[in-house]
Amino acid sequence: MIKGEPITILLVEDDPSHAEIVKRNLKENMVANTIHHVEDGQAALDYLLRKNGYADPKISPKPELILLDLRLPKVDGLEVLKRIKADPELKKIPTVVLTTSSAESDVVNAYTHGAGSYLVKPVDFEKFTKLMKDFGFYWLAWNKFPA
Amino acid sequence: VEFANQTFCDFLCPSEKAEALSGLMDEQLMKRILPAYADPDGVMVMIRDLLACAKPVLGKEIMLRDGKVLLLDFQPLMIDGKDTGRMWMHRDITERKKATDLLRLSEQVMRLLNSSRNLKTVIPDILGKIQEYSGCEAIGLRIREGEDFPYYETRGFPQAFVSAERTLCARDESGSFVRDGAWNPELECMCGNILRGRFDPQLPFFTPGGSFWTNSTTKLLASTTERERQARTRNRCHGEGYESVALVPLRSGDEIIGLLQLNDRRPGRFTPEMIRFFEGLCASVGIAFARLQAERDLEDRNAELIRFTYTVSHDLKSPLVTVKSFLGYLGQDLAKQDAANVAKDLGHITKAADKMGKLLDELLDLSRVGRKMNPLVEVPLQELAQEALSLVAGRIAESGAAVEVAKDPVTLFGDRQRLVEVFQNLVDNAVKFMGTQPRPRVDIGVETQGTETVFFVRDNGAGIDPRHKDRLFGLFEKLDPASEGTGMGLALAKRIVEVHGGRIWAESEGLGKGTTFRFTLAKTRIKPDKETPS
């Protein structure tokens, strides 16, 4: 249904159940061919900067898109975002915040620090499924990534 | 005419009989009466002006040296267009003037208190008005700050006096506060009496409203005993030469939150009416201060509530998202009869529901801290620590950590069960994050930092990245996602310590270098060790 090449996504999510929901949705909608999942902010940075066990680009390929939760152990999501956007290479990767928080301060902070989009996880199953479907359609069918 | 002359005489030169003055020429008369005026030169000029213009002037206020205020009516007497004399009418309006001044002062103070300006900027103005009205050379306001009542603002006191008298708390040789049976610090001197409500209204220098006042500290010290004065007085006011001293409590409800002090080197500056008036004024100032404090507390609470709501909305919503999503998947998987996925879905749902339950329990527990307090008691450090250790004995054994409790004779004062929880959470945290330490060790102890008694729980475990120090005490904050627990332990410890009037913080030189948690409590004391030879 969706046209376009499947993409590589780095999913930064500390809640394993939420990670499972996202992965299941992306798989069903054939959005991503590879989802790399890390559970905390430090691991996300290590992955992106190819440090501490993420050195091999075959194991940790550069993602086309980052899906980032905000409240993360070790290094906070906002801090991860800041570091990504401060890096001349990493800043080109669109970073989408996906979180349960709808607090205005989080939204403003996320955009201030360079988030490409801010998505609030819906409590409702149908809505979450629809969100992931629309998300996939947008990024695969319409979005143009840097080469 | 004779009566009028006598009144005039009584006002201006009481040593003379009216008859003696009658018939005196202007100049001679002036010489006799001028010294009675507060501002003789000014009066001279005024009289010359009156005589020169020769028109009636009514209601001129004139101050006398003795503090009386006269109202002067001047009427030139003209008969057939010829100036035949003048009539000077003097009325004593001292009482009326005083009442008007008082009224004006209280009106001004009320207006200042109600102004939208910050109380901090208003107080100097209020003190200025009171000082102006009272004519006292020095005025000060003490307001409660922590456990002491330092000067909040002073005018007219020598700097050295203010520095020497700033604190009222008695200290022992070690510099610690001396405390009474209820663990409140002893407040010294007459100020301490007024602030603690120690007074005997039967004695003339106290009022039923709990104020102290004297028109002569010299006479007071000579005529009263230390017992009558309720406590040993430092007598620095007297030593500084202040004869008139008044101390009026600032009240908010039943509480005394500070006092107003008026000092003057001249004796006899006060009247009972003045003191009563100041008591009324101080009630208003006290209420204003209490309101300010309440506003500040409310702001803090609000900020805390916002943080709390944020955390709760995120942390409770998270498992709910899981439950709802996997219920959706469960429906799909049941329809597909995909037994393996059904089991997985149920697993996610159960885990999320359990987590929610646990979060709610802990939230409830946290909300009870400070709201429901057990009776406050004195407990030795060792007793609290041992009880805490027995509660986490399982995890300590698991970690293989050696735990040592210092033997210092320290007594903590507070909610016993809550204090145990502080140690329990800190030890639990320490043994949980031992990292790769081959010889894990936890020390519980106490030390003195400045004038503070500081408790510590120190480990040689994983340590903390200095970047994360601020997040440690956050609600549901977990630095290590793999660790057990909901991230509530340290938040709870912090809340308990704060409810006890203390602070808690973490120190670590970095990852792998161990962590030391330190905290203070408002009321602790180190018992003198009688065994130690001096």
Side-chain angles (χ1 to χ4, degrees), chain B residues 243-255:
Chain B
E243 282 297 328
S244 297
V245 176
L247 305 169
V248 184
L250 248 62
R251 290 174 190 277
S252 160
D254 296 335
E255 250 186 309

Side-chain angles (χ1 to χ4, degrees), chain B residues 339-500:
Chain B
N341 266 339
V342 165
K344 267 194 208 163
D345 299 339
L346 284 174
H348 283 291
I349 292 168
T350 312
K351 241 172 89 182
D354 286 349
K355 190 178 172 195
M356 265 185 119
K358 208 167 168 193
L359 287 174
L360 284 172
D361 283 348
E362 291 186 347
L363 271 178
L364 264 174
D365 190 34
L366 188 72
S367 77
R368 281 196 202 103
V369 178
R371 214 157 42 79
K372 284 192 185 156
M373 291 277 266
N374 296 308
L376 306 184
V377 289
E378 284 183 48
V379 205
L381 167 68
Q382 290 71 22
E383 206 180 307
L384 289 175
Q386 287 309 334
E387 192 168 330
L389 292 182
S390 69
L391 289 169
V392 277
R395 209 190 298 275
I396 294 174
E398 222 173 90
S399 73
V403 185
E404 190 83 34
V405 183
K407 298 201 166 47
D408 307 63
V410 187
T411 307
L412 292 81
F413 182 79
D415 181 333
R416 189 200 151 94
Q417 192 195 326
R418 290 299 184 187
L419 291 177
V420 168
E421 277 181 274
V422 173
F423 284 101
Q424 180 190 342
N425 278 306
L426 293 182
V427 173
D428 188 47
N429 193 75
V431 295
K432 211 190 281 175
F433 301 105
M434 273 305 171
T436 52
Q437 175 59 247
R439 300 181 65 182
R441 183 184 165 81
V442 180
D443 284 289
I444 301 175
V446 62
E447 61 200 4
T448 306
Q449 289 187 358
T451 57
E452 276 185 318
T453 305
V454 182
F455 300 92
F456 64 82
V457 175
R458 181 174 51 221
D459 66 59
N460 59 355
I464 309 165
D465 187 327
R467 280 178 303 171
H468 304 144
K469 258 188 224 168
D470 298 338
R471 291 176 61 192
L472 278 177
F473 298 99
L475 200 56
F476 304 130
E477 199 71 78
K478 287 173 68 175
L479 295 185
D480 178 3
S483 73
E484 274 180 62
T486 51
M488 180 67 110
L490 293 178
L492 188 69
K494 179 172 187 262
R495 181 92 184 108
I496 295 170
V497 166
E498 283 173 352
V499 162
H500 283 80

